Amino acid sequence: MDVVLRHWSAFTDGMTTTLELTALSFAGALLIGIVVAAMRVSPVPVLRGVGTVYVESFQNTPLLVLLVLFVFGLPEVGVIFPLFTTAVIAIALYEAAYIAEAVRSGINTVPVGQAEAARAIGLGFGQSLRLVILPQALRAVVQPIGNILIALTMNTSLAAAVGVVDLTAAANRVNLLEAQPIPVFVGAGLGYMAVCALVGLLTNLIERKVAIVR
């Protein structure tokens, strides 16, 4: 692993970019996913339809295809963002479809009586969802969302294909200089493994803390 130590700064810079890409993409995906999940359970047919089309479209499109379309396609129609920002947007939109389904499954676990009680005290659909249903639903799907975050972390490696210098891209550059793919990519793999293990640990801790006893 001497090659990793010799290029330690390149690996740490790549890891920093990967962590930033992961954190920002997940924040965006969580926000969008909750909105889409709300649309999926809305009493308004048009909103349900839009939510369904969103989920089906993004779940059935490879992330790499989305990254290529966003990075090279958006400038063609006059929409230009920095490369890193474009990658964040593409990954967030993609992962939001999976978070939406996880949140929708959590909503389905909330007893119907909760919604009926909310309506009985005069709360509308939006208020019931925001104040009563979603808080319980999110507590019920901590583990699934944690699993999606782990998948998102690994999926960020695809950003290297469109020019983002993350951990994968940094490892590839080092390998081009050193021609030692095994130690270089084992080192990068251990980096991803460490991040995913930490996410799993935090997810388990949060799940135990907020678990709903029924």
mmCIF file of all heavy atoms in Angstrom, residues 94-126:
data_model
loop_
_atom_site.group_PDB
_atom_site.id
_atom_site.type_symbol
_atom_site.label_atom_id
_atom_site.label_comp_id
_atom_site.label_asym_id
_atom_site.label_seq_id
_atom_site.Cartn_x
_atom_site.Cartn_y
_atom_site.Cartn_z
ATOM 1 N N TYR A 94 -32.110 11.367 -9.065
ATOM 2 C CA TYR A 94 -32.170 9.918 -9.234
ATOM 3 C C TYR A 94 -32.503 9.219 -7.915
ATOM 4 O O TYR A 94 -33.423 8.394 -7.842
ATOM 5 C CB TYR A 94 -30.829 9.421 -9.777
ATOM 6 C CG TYR A 94 -30.721 7.920 -9.896
ATOM 7 C CD1 TYR A 94 -31.264 7.258 -10.984
ATOM 8 C CD2 TYR A 94 -30.048 7.164 -8.939
ATOM 9 C CE1 TYR A 94 -31.170 5.877 -11.112
ATOM 10 C CE2 TYR A 94 -29.938 5.797 -9.049
ATOM 11 C CZ TYR A 94 -30.496 5.157 -10.142
ATOM 12 O OH TYR A 94 -30.393 3.786 -10.249
ATOM 13 N N GLU A 95 -31.770 9.552 -6.865
ATOM 14 C CA GLU A 95 -31.976 8.868 -5.583
ATOM 15 C C GLU A 95 -33.286 9.272 -4.929
ATOM 16 O O GLU A 95 -33.830 8.518 -4.110
ATOM 17 C CB GLU A 95 -30.803 9.173 -4.632
ATOM 18 C CG GLU A 95 -29.451 8.682 -5.127
ATOM 19 C CD GLU A 95 -29.337 7.164 -5.167
ATOM 20 O OE1 GLU A 95 -30.184 6.486 -4.544
ATOM 21 O OE2 GLU A 95 -28.395 6.670 -5.814
ATOM 22 N N ALA A 96 -33.812 10.441 -5.284
ATOM 23 C CA ALA A 96 -35.091 10.884 -4.705
ATOM 24 C C ALA A 96 -36.219 9.921 -5.029
ATOM 25 O O ALA A 96 -37.152 9.751 -4.233
ATOM 26 C CB ALA A 96 -35.435 12.283 -5.220
ATOM 27 N N ALA A 97 -36.157 9.285 -6.193
ATOM 28 C CA ALA A 97 -37.200 8.324 -6.568
ATOM 29 C C ALA A 97 -37.228 7.154 -5.588
ATOM 30 O O ALA A 97 -38.312 6.659 -5.228
ATOM 31 C CB ALA A 97 -36.962 7.817 -7.990
ATOM 32 N N TYR A 98 -36.065 6.715 -5.136
ATOM 33 C CA TYR A 98 -35.996 5.594 -4.196
ATOM 34 C C TYR A 98 -36.406 6.039 -2.792
ATOM 35 O O TYR A 98 -37.076 5.293 -2.067
ATOM 36 C CB TYR A 98 -34.585 5.007 -4.192
ATOM 37 C CG TYR A 98 -34.228 4.352 -5.504
ATOM 38 C CD1 TYR A 98 -33.609 5.075 -6.522
ATOM 39 C CD2 TYR A 98 -34.550 3.021 -5.754
ATOM 40 C CE1 TYR A 98 -33.306 4.485 -7.746
ATOM 41 C CE2 TYR A 98 -34.249 2.425 -6.972
ATOM 42 C CZ TYR A 98 -33.627 3.164 -7.963
ATOM 43 O OH TYR A 98 -33.343 2.577 -9.169
ATOM 44 N N ILE A 99 -36.002 7.236 -2.416
ATOM 45 C CA ILE A 99 -36.405 7.745 -1.107
ATOM 46 C C ILE A 99 -37.918 7.949 -1.063
ATOM 47 O O ILE A 99 -38.558 7.673 -0.045
ATOM 48 C CB ILE A 99 -35.662 9.055 -0.789
ATOM 49 C CG1 ILE A 99 -34.180 8.751 -0.503
ATOM 50 C CG2 ILE A 99 -36.288 9.764 0.414
ATOM 51 C CD1 ILE A 99 -33.342 9.964 -0.164
ATOM 52 N N ALA A 100 -38.487 8.416 -2.169
ATOM 53 C CA ALA A 100 -39.940 8.620 -2.223
ATOM 54 C C ALA A 100 -40.684 7.322 -1.946
ATOM 55 O O ALA A 100 -41.669 7.304 -1.193
ATOM 56 C CB ALA A 100 -40.341 9.181 -3.586
ATOM 57 N N GLU A 101 -40.224 6.236 -2.537
ATOM 58 C CA GLU A 101 -40.878 4.946 -2.319
ATOM 59 C C GLU A 101 -40.683 4.458 -0.887
ATOM 60 O O GLU A 101 -41.582 3.847 -0.299
ATOM 61 C CB GLU A 101 -40.357 3.919 -3.316
ATOM 62 C CG GLU A 101 -40.844 4.151 -4.737
ATOM 63 C CD GLU A 101 -42.364 4.115 -4.833
ATOM 64 O OE1 GLU A 101 -42.927 3.016 -4.982
ATOM 65 O OE2 GLU A 101 -42.996 5.186 -4.734
ATOM 66 N N ALA A 102 -39.502 4.731 -0.325
ATOM 67 C CA ALA A 102 -39.270 4.335 1.071
ATOM 68 C C ALA A 102 -40.185 5.116 2.002
ATOM 69 O O ALA A 102 -40.790 4.545 2.921
ATOM 70 C CB ALA A 102 -37.803 4.570 1.436
ATOM 71 N N VAL A 103 -40.297 6.420 1.758
ATOM 72 C CA VAL A 103 -41.162 7.253 2.599
ATOM 73 C C VAL A 103 -42.630 6.852 2.415
ATOM 74 O O VAL A 103 -43.396 6.798 3.379
ATOM 75 C CB VAL A 103 -40.963 8.746 2.269
ATOM 76 C CG1 VAL A 103 -41.981 9.605 3.025
ATOM 77 C CG2 VAL A 103 -39.548 9.186 2.626
ATOM 78 N N ARG A 104 -43.028 6.540 1.185
ATOM 79 C CA ARG A 104 -44.416 6.114 0.945
ATOM 80 C C ARG A 104 -44.725 4.825 1.705
ATOM 81 O O ARG A 104 -45.816 4.662 2.250
ATOM 82 C CB ARG A 104 -44.660 5.909 -0.549
ATOM 83 C CG ARG A 104 -46.117 5.614 -0.888
ATOM 84 C CD ARG A 104 -46.347 5.732 -2.382
ATOM 85 N NE ARG A 104 -45.774 4.614 -3.105
ATOM 86 C CZ ARG A 104 -46.453 3.547 -3.524
ATOM 87 N NH1 ARG A 104 -47.746 3.454 -3.257
ATOM 88 N NH2 ARG A 104 -45.861 2.592 -4.194
ATOM 89 N N SER A 105 -43.747 3.910 1.745
ATOM 90 C CA SER A 105 -43.966 2.680 2.513
ATOM 91 C C SER A 105 -44.103 2.994 3.995
ATOM 92 O O SER A 105 -44.872 2.348 4.715
ATOM 93 C CB SER A 105 -42.815 1.697 2.274
ATOM 94 O OG SER A 105 -41.613 2.149 2.870
ATOM 95 N N GLY A 106 -43.357 4.006 4.463
ATOM 96 C CA GLY A 106 -43.485 4.421 5.858
ATOM 97 C C GLY A 106 -44.844 5.031 6.145
ATOM 98 O O GLY A 106 -45.442 4.788 7.200
ATOM 99 N N ILE A 107 -45.341 5.818 5.191
ATOM 100 C CA ILE A 107 -46.675 6.405 5.344
ATOM 101 C C ILE A 107 -47.721 5.311 5.455
ATOM 102 O O ILE A 107 -48.673 5.411 6.245
ATOM 103 C CB ILE A 107 -46.980 7.341 4.156
ATOM 104 C CG1 ILE A 107 -46.083 8.593 4.230
ATOM 105 C CG2 ILE A 107 -48.450 7.736 4.142
ATOM 106 C CD1 ILE A 107 -46.197 9.502 3.033
ATOM 107 N N ASN A 108 -47.546 4.254 4.698
ATOM 108 C CA ASN A 108 -48.514 3.147 4.722
ATOM 109 C C ASN A 108 -48.508 2.383 6.042
ATOM 110 O O ASN A 108 -49.455 1.647 6.332
ATOM 111 C CB ASN A 108 -48.239 2.182 3.563
ATOM 112 C CG ASN A 108 -48.575 2.787 2.220
ATOM 113 O OD1 ASN A 108 -49.402 3.686 2.116
ATOM 114 N ND2 ASN A 108 -47.917 2.313 1.162
ATOM 115 N N THR A 109 -47.427 2.532 6.824
ATOM 116 C CA THR A 109 -47.371 1.853 8.124
ATOM 117 C C THR A 109 -48.106 2.634 9.217
ATOM 118 O O THR A 109 -48.376 2.081 10.283
ATOM 119 C CB THR A 109 -45.917 1.621 8.579
ATOM 120 O OG1 THR A 109 -45.294 2.883 8.865
ATOM 121 C CG2 THR A 109 -45.124 0.882 7.516
ATOM 122 N N VAL A 110 -48.392 3.902 8.956
ATOM 123 C CA VAL A 110 -49.086 4.716 9.966
ATOM 124 C C VAL A 110 -50.553 4.284 10.024
ATOM 125 O O VAL A 110 -51.228 4.250 8.993
ATOM 126 C CB VAL A 110 -48.988 6.214 9.623
ATOM 127 C CG1 VAL A 110 -49.755 7.052 10.659
ATOM 128 C CG2 VAL A 110 -47.523 6.648 9.569
ATOM 129 N N PRO A 111 -51.064 3.935 11.191
ATOM 130 C CA PRO A 111 -52.459 3.491 11.303
ATOM 131 C C PRO A 111 -53.430 4.504 10.706
ATOM 132 O O PRO A 111 -53.260 5.719 10.868
ATOM 133 C CB PRO A 111 -52.657 3.348 12.817
ATOM 134 C CG PRO A 111 -51.283 3.116 13.363
ATOM 135 C CD PRO A 111 -50.364 3.919 12.492
ATOM 136 N N VAL A 112 -54.449 3.995 10.033
ATOM 137 C CA VAL A 112 -55.454 4.865 9.408
ATOM 138 C C VAL A 112 -56.117 5.761 10.447
ATOM 139 O O VAL A 112 -56.478 6.905 10.160
ATOM 140 C CB VAL A 112 -56.513 4.004 8.683
ATOM 141 C CG1 VAL A 112 -57.614 4.888 8.111
ATOM 142 C CG2 VAL A 112 -55.872 3.175 7.584
ATOM 143 N N GLY A 113 -56.228 5.262 11.653
ATOM 144 C CA GLY A 113 -56.863 6.041 12.718
ATOM 145 C C GLY A 113 -56.156 7.358 12.991
ATOM 146 O O GLY A 113 -56.788 8.330 13.427
ATOM 147 N N GLN A 114 -54.833 7.396 12.743
ATOM 148 C CA GLN A 114 -54.086 8.631 12.955
ATOM 149 C C GLN A 114 -54.578 9.723 12.011
ATOM 150 O O GLN A 114 -54.787 10.872 12.403
ATOM 151 C CB GLN A 114 -52.596 8.375 12.737
ATOM 152 C CG GLN A 114 -51.961 7.399 13.702
ATOM 153 C CD GLN A 114 -51.684 8.038 15.043
ATOM 154 O OE1 GLN A 114 -51.519 9.237 15.159
ATOM 155 N NE2 GLN A 114 -51.645 7.217 16.085
ATOM 156 N N ALA A 115 -54.743 9.360 10.725
ATOM 157 C CA ALA A 115 -55.228 10.330 9.742
ATOM 158 C C ALA A 115 -56.666 10.728 10.042
ATOM 159 O O ALA A 115 -57.048 11.899 9.911
ATOM 160 C CB ALA A 115 -55.121 9.741 8.333
ATOM 161 N N GLU A 116 -57.480 9.752 10.439
ATOM 162 C CA GLU A 116 -58.869 10.054 10.749
ATOM 163 C C GLU A 116 -58.976 10.988 11.957
ATOM 164 O O GLU A 116 -59.809 11.907 11.984
ATOM 165 C CB GLU A 116 -59.626 8.757 11.011
ATOM 166 C CG GLU A 116 -59.756 7.874 9.776
ATOM 167 C CD GLU A 116 -60.388 6.543 10.084
ATOM 168 O OE1 GLU A 116 -60.457 6.178 11.289
ATOM 169 O OE2 GLU A 116 -60.819 5.852 9.140
ATOM 170 N N ALA A 117 -58.125 10.774 12.937
ATOM 171 C CA ALA A 117 -58.126 11.646 14.115
ATOM 172 C C ALA A 117 -57.692 13.059 13.737
ATOM 173 O O ALA A 117 -58.240 14.049 14.249
ATOM 174 C CB ALA A 117 -57.193 11.073 15.182
ATOM 175 N N ALA A 118 -56.710 13.161 12.826
ATOM 176 C CA ALA A 118 -56.251 14.475 12.378
ATOM 177 C C ALA A 118 -57.373 15.217 11.653
ATOM 178 O O ALA A 118 -57.583 16.417 11.864
ATOM 179 C CB ALA A 118 -55.045 14.319 11.457
ATOM 180 N N ARG A 119 -58.095 14.495 10.805
ATOM 181 C CA ARG A 119 -59.222 15.124 10.102
ATOM 182 C C ARG A 119 -60.329 15.515 11.077
ATOM 183 O O ARG A 119 -61.003 16.530 10.911
ATOM 184 C CB ARG A 119 -59.770 14.168 9.041
ATOM 185 C CG ARG A 119 -58.883 14.051 7.807
ATOM 186 C CD ARG A 119 -59.640 13.403 6.656
ATOM 187 N NE ARG A 119 -60.043 12.040 6.956
ATOM 188 C CZ ARG A 119 -59.310 10.959 6.702
ATOM 189 N NH1 ARG A 119 -58.106 11.105 6.141
ATOM 190 N NH2 ARG A 119 -59.748 9.757 6.997
ATOM 191 N N ALA A 120 -60.503 14.708 12.121
ATOM 192 C CA ALA A 120 -61.565 14.968 13.093
ATOM 193 C C ALA A 120 -61.333 16.269 13.854
ATOM 194 O O ALA A 120 -62.283 16.918 14.287
ATOM 195 C CB ALA A 120 -61.679 13.803 14.076
ATOM 196 N N ILE A 121 -60.075 16.661 14.013
ATOM 197 C CA ILE A 121 -59.800 17.916 14.733
ATOM 198 C C ILE A 121 -59.628 19.081 13.771
ATOM 199 O O ILE A 121 -59.165 20.155 14.149
ATOM 200 C CB ILE A 121 -58.563 17.777 15.637
ATOM 201 C CG1 ILE A 121 -57.308 17.467 14.810
ATOM 202 C CG2 ILE A 121 -58.781 16.717 16.704
ATOM 203 C CD1 ILE A 121 -56.032 17.461 15.642
ATOM 204 N N GLY A 122 -59.979 18.857 12.501
ATOM 205 C CA GLY A 122 -60.008 19.956 11.542
ATOM 206 C C GLY A 122 -58.764 20.160 10.703
ATOM 207 O O GLY A 122 -58.662 21.177 10.013
ATOM 208 N N LEU A 123 -57.816 19.235 10.737
ATOM 209 C CA LEU A 123 -56.607 19.385 9.928
ATOM 210 C C LEU A 123 -56.879 18.961 8.493
ATOM 211 O O LEU A 123 -57.550 17.953 8.246
ATOM 212 C CB LEU A 123 -55.468 18.534 10.501
ATOM 213 C CG LEU A 123 -54.967 18.889 11.905
ATOM 214 C CD1 LEU A 123 -53.814 17.980 12.289
ATOM 215 C CD2 LEU A 123 -54.545 20.351 11.987
ATOM 216 N N GLY A 124 -56.362 19.725 7.524
ATOM 217 C CA GLY A 124 -56.472 19.351 6.123
ATOM 218 C C GLY A 124 -55.456 18.289 5.769
ATOM 219 O O GLY A 124 -54.651 17.868 6.615
ATOM 220 N N PHE A 125 -55.459 17.875 4.491
ATOM 221 C CA PHE A 125 -54.533 16.819 4.082
ATOM 222 C C PHE A 125 -53.084 17.229 4.302
ATOM 223 O O PHE A 125 -52.283 16.464 4.858
ATOM 224 C CB PHE A 125 -54.754 16.477 2.601
ATOM 225 C CG PHE A 125 -53.708 15.536 2.048
ATOM 226 C CD1 PHE A 125 -53.745 14.186 2.355
ATOM 227 C CD2 PHE A 125 -52.677 16.018 1.245
ATOM 228 C CE1 PHE A 125 -52.773 13.326 1.869
ATOM 229 C CE2 PHE A 125 -51.707 15.159 0.750
ATOM 230 C CZ PHE A 125 -51.755 13.814 1.063
ATOM 231 N N GLY A 126 -52.743 18.435 3.875
ATOM 232 C CA GLY A 126 -51.365 18.893 4.017
ATOM 233 C C GLY A 126 -50.923 18.972 5.460
ATOM 234 O O GLY A 126 -49.819 18.553 5.809
#
